[in-house]
């Protein structure tokens, strides 16, 4: 699998580290209920299809990226720089 | 802590000292690859993400006459160069390390500025088979159509982080300069020396060496 980093160009997936779902937004630590924090930490969808996920270009530009990938085919629809994607924004 | 085993005089040592040796490596005959240590460079990392980049860019232009690249590339003056090292990150290179600390004062306070001269190991790779040798471990397409003169990249070769850029062409074609963390120099050489052996390789360990680490 190759990921086209917006900074570096197309690179082999081994240059990147996978973090996980890009959508969960951390509840405010002081105001969050235990249930909301539990959901944030543990609850993940496991879609067969389109998935927005965080990847880190550790062997390249050291940027965090939001990759929109089809989990069935590995086809990548979009790669965005995470710092420009509003935290927790829906796809 | 001083003890009997501590040498009385510390001697600076180039990053490739004890690793590269002058001579011919691999298959005999006209070398397909030439490798030269690039000792004695002044190297500093500059980091100023976001809006901070403007002031840093202006200061580097004023002091060094260099444009900080906004894409993976290297810009040159007669004495210095600036290499893109990620968004909002650059390496400032000086051909001569003498006076580099003083020159760096022009950018101190405009970002995270860290002297790296002794922390990195740089070498130059040329010769008609240079690209073929690199292709054994480098995942980038280094064909001139995809990687022109002045382009730079951060990548991984043999699980070692490598910063490379294409310098001006030499008499035998493309010239690549490659930089690794000094602590990885021995491991990187283990890969590179194996990759070039089938082409025959001339090694110059002492070119431009000031003997300084
Ligand atoms: Zn990148």
């Amino acid at each position: 699998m190759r990921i086209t980093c917006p900074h570096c160009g197309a690179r082999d997936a081994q240059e990147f580290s996978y973090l996980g779902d890009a959508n969960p937004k951390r509840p405010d630590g002081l105001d969050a209920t235990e249930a909301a924090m539990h959901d944030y930490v543990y609850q993940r969808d496991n879609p067969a299809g389109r998935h927005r996920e965080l990847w880190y270009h550790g062997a390249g530009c050291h940027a965090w990226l939001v990759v929109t990938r089809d989990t069935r085919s590995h086809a990548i629809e979009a790669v965005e720089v995470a710092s420009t994607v509003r935290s927790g924004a829906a796809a | 802590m001083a003890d009997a085993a501590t040498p009385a005089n510390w001697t600076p040592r180039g990053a490739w000292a004890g690793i590269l040796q002058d001579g011919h490596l691999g298959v005999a005959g006209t070398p397909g690859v030439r490798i030269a240590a690039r000792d004695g460079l002044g190297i500093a990392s500059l980091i100023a993400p976001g809006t901070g980049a403007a002031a840093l860019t202006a200061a580097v232009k004023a002091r060094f006459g260099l444009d900080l690249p906004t894409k993976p590339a290297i810009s040159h003056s007669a004495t210095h160069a600036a290499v893109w090292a990620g968004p909002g990150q650059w390496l400032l290179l000086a051909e001569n390390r003498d006076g580099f600390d003083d020159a760096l004062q022009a950018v101190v306070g405009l970002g995270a500025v860290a002297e790296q001269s002794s922390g990195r190991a740089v070498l130059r790779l040329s010769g008609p088979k240079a690209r073929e040798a690199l292709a054994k471990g480098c995942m980038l397409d280094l064909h001139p159509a995809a990687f022109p003169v002045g382009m730079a990249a951060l990548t991984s070769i043999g699980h070692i982080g490598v910063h490379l850029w294409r310098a001006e062409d030499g008499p035998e074609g493309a010239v690549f300069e490659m930089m690794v963390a000094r602590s990885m120099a021995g491991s990187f050489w283990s890969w590179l020396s194996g990759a070039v052996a089938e082409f025959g390789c001339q090694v110059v360990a002492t070119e431009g060496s000031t003997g300084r680490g």
Side-chain angles (χ1 to χ4, degrees), chain A residues 5 7-8 16 57 60-63 65, chain B residues 84:
Chain A
C5 172
H7 298 300
C8 302
F16 302 82
H57 197 184
C61 62
H62 311 120
L65 307 173
Chain B
W84 184 89

Side-chain angles (χ1 to χ4, degrees), chain B residues 155-172:
Chain B
T155 186
S156 172
I157 297 177
H159 304 285
I160 296 167
V162 175
H163 204 163
L164 85 156
W165 52 91
R166 191 167 154 205
E168 288 295 323
D169 284 353
E172 294 179 309

